[in-house]
Amino acid sequence: MKPRTKSAGLWLLAWRRLLADRVAVVSMVVVGLFLVMMAASGLNLIAAHWNEEVAVGYAPPAFLGAAKRAAAATVQHAGNEPNAYPGTVKDPLATEIAELRAQIAGSATPAGPEGELSIDGIKVVDPLATEMAEILGSTKAVEEKRELADALPFGADKWGRDVVSKTIKGSETSIFVGLTAALVAVVIGTVLGAFAGYYGGKVDDFFNWFYSVFTAIPYMLLILAIAAVLNQRGVMAVVLILGLTGWTGIYRLVRAEYLKHKSREYVQAADAIGASNRRRMFVHIFPNISHVSLVQLSVNTVGFIKSEVILSFLGFGVPVDKVSWGSMLNEAQNELILGYWWQLVAATIAMALLVTAFSMFTDALRDALDPKIK
């Protein structure tokens, strides 16, 4: 007697289809690397000192070459630290003090801590000694920061912070907001869609009315209105704003699936053996439509990452002590006018790479979980 072979289930078949798609594998690897980077940044394993001043302000990227970096460093800009001491610092009284030292070399005592000399008990003081020491120390520190700036791939921002470290730390906030807000929206949309689709009648009418109220207002205007009313800035505030307003699309799809599945034979069999309504909804029906929620989770993650960037760009996003891709773009709009484009490019490349990879992975996941595809 031949042993019985167990046929592959939906998830195993979907996984095999996913691995057979090279684009899906590449996009999945890219998304995985971003998630690992987010976790490492959250644990302070990388970019832990992103807010420290490691170079002069607006230090150009290292890939521009020495000539272009030198030209950019000499651009005159009021109040900018790289131009605070553009030339060699000289003490205007150095020559006179040296001549005086030579004249009184035989009778003078060594200079004190403030550059003092004495002739027959009369003190001769260099009035600029302390100030010149501070200026020379500051100049030396600026030169050291200029040397460190040569090792920064994407240069530094206004405050001399490494743009690459800032981008990595910004991914922690943006990806966390996108994933968490998408999870909140999926839970709300799935639960409301399950109740509306399974019970029907007045329950369905009530949730459809609630759904219509949210969809009657343009999505971005609704987000901005709620953000303005709450008047609170913070990561969790952004998560709640996006999660509580982004469940409508998931609700519509889940409701349609429950309307279709509630009259099928396996649900009627569960009813015959005495299964409760809640058990039929979430134990029997939900596993068969869970791929819809999973796909919508990845779709909404991409959308919420872009929404967080827009909110932070408009000033409704994360607070000033946090950094995200949106806050970097908000800073870069003023820097771009002055010709400092590297922070804008770094944040844009990171966001475009993640959003593109996540979108391609979502498309591949939708195809892999489609039961009509064999």
Side-chain angles (χ1 to χ4, degrees), residues 50-81:
W50 67 272
N51 57 346
E52 292 184 359
E53 185 179 354
V54 296
V56 294
Y58 297 129
F63 63 81
L64 288 181
K68 291 185 178 180
R69 291 200 308 270
T74 56
V75 174
Q76 295 297 323
H77 179 61
N80 192 16
E81 185 183 0

Side-chain angles (χ1 to χ4, degrees), residues 356-370:
T356 302
F358 226 125
S359 299
M360 297 173 68
F361 173 70
T362 299
D363 293 338
L365 185 64
R366 184 187 295 112
D367 294 339
L369 291 173
D370 191 349

